[in-house]
Amino acid sequence: MDTKQIEYILKIAEENNITRAANKLYITQSALNQQLLKLEKELGTPLFHRSRTNWHLTEAGEIYVQNAKEVLRIKRDTYQRINDLAEGRYGHLSVGFTAGRGITMFTAAYTTFHQLYPNIIVEPREGVVRDLQKLLAQGDLDIGFLTLTDADRTGDVYETIYTEELFLAVPSVHPIAAASTPPPGERFATLDVRALRYEPFVLMDKRSTMRTMIDQIFAEGGFEPQILFETGNNHTILSMLQTNLCCGILTYYYVKDLPEGITCFHLPSRPTWEFTASYKRGRYLSDAARCFIDLMKAQWGDS
């Protein structure tokens, strides 16, 4: 099923520029333009409003791109179904994960997956949850491993791998760390966030699904935090805590093997969110994709 022309047009639409699109496709601009002109002649209408620096879709172009993406989705599903009939010997699997924990978790599962499906080409893609959700909805990603709350869920399928708690973190030299002796049977003591209302924080940025929960924690505490800066990576928060400059909020994934110099507390409300496997509702899930999800559950489901 040759869909090269479709892929060419989608790349122009993605880049909003024919020169950049040609570079990404590793073909000449002239060759790409000829493909576009040929299609526009066949359709009897232009697909793009052209300018030197910005190409954007016409109304006809919007219709073409919307349906072209559906054609590629059907092609992928068709090939995956046939590949499964052929016992999954060949194929392609795109897997999305978030920064930080994602690459570690992906690598651990991939080792076993490659032994089971040595000829499946896996394409890992890293991004924030909302960007990965868009790729899943568009059919550009087979499965995504996402951390989120119920409020962040879209109409796609979400399979919970594990639920984890959010913790309050302070430098171990902070005076309040002296109150970190946990009660019997507990690993951590509990601390009200209001005890740190005058302290600076480094927090996950507003693009993170975690930020919704963080804002709620401070809202329940009745104050707005003094934010030193925001980041898209939990490892940055860990590093800043170790410099004794700030406090932070971390998930259990980063707390379970806490580096030296950091003390953590439960929050009174014990807020939690979920680490999930997600895929587009109604889309065919290949045997290889199902296997990858099951490996992630086997590896991390008891965390």
Side-chain angles (χ1 to χ4, degrees):
M1 188 185 297
D2 189 1
T3 55
K4 192 169 292 294
Q5 187 183 61
I6 289 176
E7 292 166 8
Y8 286 170
I9 305 308
L10 290 179
K11 183 58 70 174
I12 299 173
E14 180 184 327
E15 297 295 330
N16 291 322
N17 183 284
I18 194 168
T19 303
R20 288 198 301 269
N23 290 337
K24 293 285 181 68
L25 293 165
Y26 301 103
I27 63 174
T28 66
Q29 181 178 331
S30 174
L32 182 56
N33 191 52
Q34 286 300 314
Q35 288 290 329
L36 174 59
L37 291 174
K38 178 182 177 182
L39 178 60
E40 289 180 329
K41 182 178 180 181
E42 178 185 335
L43 295 172
T45 185
L47 298 179
F48 292 91
H49 296 291
R50 293 151 163 87
S51 72
R52 218 177 88 179
T53 57
N54 180 43
W55 287 41
H56 59 279
L57 292 166
T58 62
E59 185 176 356
E62 295 279 2
I63 295 171
Y64 180 88
V65 165
Q66 179 183 350
N67 288 280
K69 288 181 177 180
E70 183 65 12
V71 169
L72 292 185
R73 184 195 66 78
I74 292 171
K75 176 185 176 180
R76 282 193 295 267
D77 284 1
T78 300
Y79 278 46
Q80 285 177 346
R81 287 173 183 268
I82 293 172
N83 179 63
D84 285 347
L85 288 175
E87 299 180 352
R89 287 191 290 269
Y90 298 94
H92 177 272
L93 180 67
S94 56
V95 181
F97 52 88
T98 55
R101 81 179 74 203
I103 187 63
T104 302
M105 301 177 83
F106 167 82
T107 303
Y110 179 75
T111 303
T112 303
F113 178 83
H114 182 64
Q115 294 172 352
L116 297 171
Y117 292 91
N119 295 314
I120 296 288
I121 299 172
V122 177
E123 178 192 0
R125 302 183 69 169
E126 190 176 23
V128 298
V129 169
R130 290 185 176 89
D131 288 347
L132 295 175
Q133 286 176 318
K134 288 178 183 177
L135 292 173
L136 287 166
Q138 293 167 359
D140 295 328
L141 196 63
D142 294 316
I143 49 177
F145 294 96
L146 317 175
T147 44
L148 37 67
T149 65
D150 287 343
D152 299 311
R153 296 185 181 222
T154 62
D156 294 322
V157 178
Y158 293 89
E159 297 185 21
T160 299
I161 295 177
Y162 63 81
T163 301
E164 70 173 345
E165 186 179 342
L166 273 65
F167 289 79
L168 196 56
V170 302
S172 296
V173 298
H174 194 289
I176 209 162
S180 64
T181 302
E186 297 275 357
R187 180 181 171 187
F188 302 98
T190 298
L191 182 68
D192 194 310
V193 71
R194 287 175 291 187
L196 301 173
R197 65 186 307 140
Y198 302 114
E199 301 295 333
F201 280 82
V202 171
L203 300 174
M204 292 297 288
D205 61 34
K206 291 180 174 60
R207 296 190 69 204
S208 167
T209 48
M210 183 178 170
R211 186 56 182 268
T212 305
M213 297 184 64
I214 291 172
D215 290 343
Q216 182 63 31
I217 288 168
F218 287 112
E220 291 172 357
F223 71 99
E224 292 187 6
Q226 175 189 337
I227 301 176
L228 193 61
F229 67 85
E230 299 172 336
T231 178
N233 196 315
N234 282 282
H235 289 295
T236 303
I237 299 176
L238 289 170
S239 296
M240 292 302 298
L241 282 161
Q242 287 182 298
T243 64
N244 305 325
L245 287 176
C246 66
C247 301
I249 293 178
L250 298 167
T251 62
Y252 182 70
Y253 179 86
Y254 299 95
V255 170
K256 60 184 175 63
D257 299 314
L258 204 61
E260 291 185 6
I262 301 174
T263 298
C264 286
F265 296 88
H266 290 295
L267 286 154
S269 62
R270 302 286 180 97
T272 61
W273 68 349
E274 294 183 333
F275 180 72
T276 67
S278 180
Y279 48 91
K280 184 176 176 64
R281 189 175 298 279
R283 180 175 178 177
Y284 177 72
L285 191 67
S286 69
D287 290 348
R290 180 73 263 166
C291 175
F292 206 101
I293 292 172
D294 291 343
L295 287 172
M296 289 289 281
K297 287 181 176 181
Q299 183 84 25
W300 303 99
D302 294 330
S303 298

